[in-house]
Amino acid sequence: MTTQRFPLHRLPDDLRSEVLKTMDLHEIVAYSFVSKKAYSMVKSLRIPIGDVETTLKASPEIKISIGLMSLNYELKIHENDRRRMELNKVPVNVKVELKRSSILDPETSTMSNQGKNMGEWIQHLCSIFQHVMRLHIEFLIGDLWRLDIETLLNTFPTPRSYSIVCDENESNKYNIRYARNVFKAFPDVQFILLFDVPFDGRLSFQHFGKLEDLLTLNVERIHQYDYQWSLRDLNRFFKLWMKGSNPKLKKYELFAHEMGISWADQWNVLVKGLQAEEVVEAGHTDENRVKKKFRIRKHRVGAEIEVEWTATTMEVKFNTLN
């Protein structure tokens, strides 16, 4: 038995490319770190990746999916080095988890950090796959991740979608500043999810500048969860849409909890000045739940606003009509 490694780097380029095509995805990725030429060769394979998901948490993860197979890279950070996360930090090592199907247990291994910091790892993995159908980035921001606009632009390609998750236990000073930076860095995406992003007096629709206004983003879908909103904010949202803000918007959903007020008695605040037409629907009436639907129109484009209240929650669904 021989322990000699296969001399892949000594093969002619065309033959080496054919050998690469027979290798598993994690082996191809590992080879891309060998040299600049290996990196370029892996890029030239033009592997059709379905999804790349990057999550900025205490140990960042980059998950690559192709068909039923997924490949997850976890950038392991030393426990004592997690108080403030920055993309120029170098991981201790990288945990690799290969899952070939939903019914098989994942195969795990560990790679060295390849002499790269976290930002360089993200850049490398995102750049070797030029044909990604969907790139999603999840930003867990606040006191943990402090991201400036230049770093965001230099590290990430423009995503198809992103999530912003704020720590509701942290000061809004950090949540507001870094949420705003993400908005500025990626104004033209398809889908945004917002979790506990504070739109209070310092970061509300009426206080945004032109560049920072969430409503001027070229976004098709916005989903917002778990934050207290006023009906006046929502009324302003829809009025600005009618005036031309965010013309690509097709769907907006808001779920707010612990409202602390009976919104059902103030539904008229929501539709004030919208020339809204209430849609009456037959069905069961629940005394603990109030549901109303309205239609509004912007030029030739119509939209439906559906609002549902309980004692502690409010759910709003906005959909444009063809």
Side-chain angles (χ1 to χ4, degrees), residues 8 11 14 56 116 129 137-138 149 155 163 178-180 201 218 240 242 249 272-273 287 296 316:
L8 181 61
L11 295 177
D14 56 347
L56 295 187
K116 295 181 180 295
F129 302 116
I137 308 171
E138 184 172 354
I149 297 173
T155 302
S163 309
Y178 301 114
R180 178 175 290 174
N218 287 320
L240 289 173
M242 293 177 71
L249 185 66
K272 183 179 180 180
E287 62 180 10
I296 60 176
V316 179

Side-chain angles (χ1 to χ4, degrees), residues 282-299:
H284 176 70
T285 302
D286 185 344
E287 62 180 10
N288 297 316
R289 187 180 299 270
V290 177
K291 184 176 179 179
K292 287 183 179 288
K293 182 183 288 188
F294 306 92
R295 286 200 180 107
I296 60 176
R297 181 166 295 277
K298 176 181 69 173
H299 304 305

Side-chain angles (χ1 to χ4, degrees), residues 26 59-63 71-77 91-98 106-113 121 125:
H26 70 290
S59 286
E61 292 187 6
I62 305 102
K63 181 180 180 181
L71 184 59
N72 193 74
Y73 292 87
E74 183 181 359
L75 310 180
K76 305 292 287 186
I77 301 298
V92 177
N93 55 46
V94 179
K95 178 183 176 182
V96 183
E97 184 177 274
L98 173 64
E107 304 168 22
T108 60
S109 59
T110 302
M111 289 180 62
S112 74
N113 59 33
W121 262 89
L125 292 177

Side-chain angles (χ1 to χ4, degrees), residues 130-321:
Q130 296 178 308
H131 293 273
V132 176
M133 293 178 60
R134 188 183 77 96
L135 170 63
H136 181 82
I137 308 171
E138 184 172 354
F139 298 99
L140 280 67
I141 62 175
D143 196 30
L144 182 64
W145 278 98
R146 302 183 178 188
L147 299 166
D148 60 82
I149 297 173
E150 183 178 358
T151 298
L152 289 166
L153 292 174
N154 291 338
T155 302
F156 300 96
T158 299
R160 183 178 177 185
S161 60
Y162 63 78
S163 309
I164 300 179
V165 183
C166 291
D167 186 349
E168 59 185 353
N169 296 316
E170 289 291 346
S171 166
N172 279 350
K173 180 177 78 170
Y174 298 117
N175 288 330
I176 290 170
R177 181 185 306 168
Y178 301 114
R180 178 175 290 174
N181 285 350
V182 176
F183 290 146
K184 286 183 177 181
F186 305 118
D188 190 6
V189 298
Q190 188 175 42
F191 183 29
I192 295 177
L193 295 93
L194 305 174
F195 296 86
D196 289 318
V197 176
F199 286 86
D200 60 10
R202 288 168 292 176
L203 188 64
S204 68
F205 291 137
Q206 67 182 121
H207 289 89
F208 268 118
K210 290 182 180 179
L211 182 62
E212 302 161 311
D213 191 344
L214 181 62
L215 295 176
T216 65
L217 300 176
N218 287 320
V219 180
E220 292 185 16
R221 295 167 58 198
I222 303 173
H223 288 196
Q224 187 173 355
Y225 299 92
D226 302 327
Y227 205 79
Q228 297 181 10
W229 270 63
S230 73
L231 291 182
R232 288 184 175 84
D233 281 332
L234 288 168
N235 178 261
R236 188 180 307 117
F237 181 102
F238 297 128
K239 281 181 177 176
L240 289 173
W241 175 80
M242 293 177 71
K243 291 179 179 179
S245 293
N246 207 348
K248 290 174 61 176
L249 185 66
K250 294 181 179 178
K251 182 185 290 288
Y252 169 79
E253 292 189 6
L254 165 71
F255 181 83
H257 65 95
E258 298 180 358
M259 304 302 293
I261 191 170
S262 177
W263 292 117
D265 298 330
Q266 303 185 46
W267 62 265
N268 56 314
V269 176
L270 175 66
V271 298
K272 183 179 180 180
L274 295 178
Q275 298 180 340
E277 175 189 352
E278 184 172 356
V279 180
V280 179
E281 296 181 329
H284 176 70
T285 302
D286 185 344
E287 62 180 10
N288 297 316
R289 187 180 299 270
V290 177
K291 184 176 179 179
K292 287 183 179 288
K293 182 183 288 188
F294 306 92
R295 286 200 180 107
I296 60 176
R297 181 166 295 277
K298 176 181 69 173
H299 304 305
R300 297 182 180 180
V301 180
E304 280 189 349
I305 304 171
E306 184 178 302
V307 190
E308 188 170 315
W309 294 273
T310 68
T312 58
T313 65
M314 178 177 69
E315 186 172 1
V316 179
K317 295 181 180 179
F318 167 92
N319 292 281
T320 58
L321 303 172

Side-chain angles (χ1 to χ4, degrees), residues 85-91 116-120 145 151:
M85 299 300 296
E86 296 177 339
L87 289 168
N88 61 6
K89 288 189 175 182
V90 177
K116 295 181 180 295
N117 62 36
M118 292 188 293
E120 291 168 337
W145 278 98
T151 298

